[in-house]
Amino acid sequence: MLNVDSLRLLLTMALAVAVLVEGARHLSGPFAQWFGSQVGGLLRRHEHAGLTGATWLIASMLAALVFLPPAPAIIALWAAAVGDGSASVVGRWMSHVRGRNGGGKTMAGTLTCLVVTAIGAAWLGDARVSVALAIGAITAAAEWPRGPLDDNVRVTMVAGLAAWVLGVA
């Protein structure tokens, strides 16, 4: 299994950088303008005034590594980074193929999240197929709603808690 202590250290450093960037973009007009010119097109509407999804992602991944046992934490990281990320890519692609410009969730994205998260749970967490599919389904359901938490937080925490409750050790 991956070295969890190294991941904690790496994510702690990444979160420190993210917090500094968030502070700078909210306190400095020139930095905010530069930041917006560099990555503004990648941000969702609510991220322009609040925290970016990247900051939420780093914070939730670190929380998973701090509060969950190693195997559920690693599954949570996989679900957030690869499962949710794959869902976004596939969902956007399907929306483009169908000629929709909306940024909403798609069934194709949800199914992708389920399958990719299940693969990670089986591979990295050594979960039985039925347990891996359950983790994938629970995670995909958590990815769907809008608010109240950023979906990066919901996906990470729900995937990790599902793995823990379902006995992945």
Side-chain angles (χ1 to χ4, degrees):
M1 177 154 294
L2 298 170
N3 183 327
V4 174
D5 291 331
S6 296
L7 285 172
R8 276 191 206 108
L9 178 60
L10 179 65
L11 285 170
T12 299
M13 292 185 305
L15 184 58
V17 170
V19 167
L20 288 173
V21 169
E22 293 286 358
R25 76 182 188 102
H26 289 290
L27 296 173
S28 167
F31 185 84
Q33 191 171 23
W34 175 83
F35 184 85
S37 72
Q38 298 301 307
V39 298
L42 299 173
L43 300 179
R44 296 173 285 187
R45 193 172 304 128
H46 69 276
E47 292 174 327
H48 289 279
L51 296 177
T52 63
T55 299
W56 283 116
L57 178 63
I58 294 166
S60 64
M61 290 174 130
L62 181 57
L65 286 169
V66 168
F67 296 111
L68 293 170
I74 296 299
I75 291 170
L77 271 64
W78 173 272
V82 184
D84 190 38
S86 298
S88 179
V89 169
V90 169
R92 287 175 193 234
W93 178 72
M94 288 301 293
S95 290
H96 175 73
V97 165
R98 293 186 175 169
R100 293 185 343 193
N101 290 331
K105 308 291 183 176
T106 65
M107 190 52 70
T110 299
L111 290 174
T112 300
C113 182
L114 187 158
V115 170
V116 171
T117 298
I119 289 169
W123 176 42
L124 297 170
D126 203 26
R128 294 185 325 272
V129 172
S130 60
V131 171
L133 287 170
I135 293 166
I138 293 165
T139 301
E143 192 261 346
W144 191 265
R146 295 213 185 271
L149 292 173
D150 185 272
D151 67 332
N152 292 309
V153 175
R154 278 194 322 272
V155 165
T156 307
M157 291 298 109
V158 166
L161 290 172
W164 191 19
V165 168
L166 293 172
V168 176

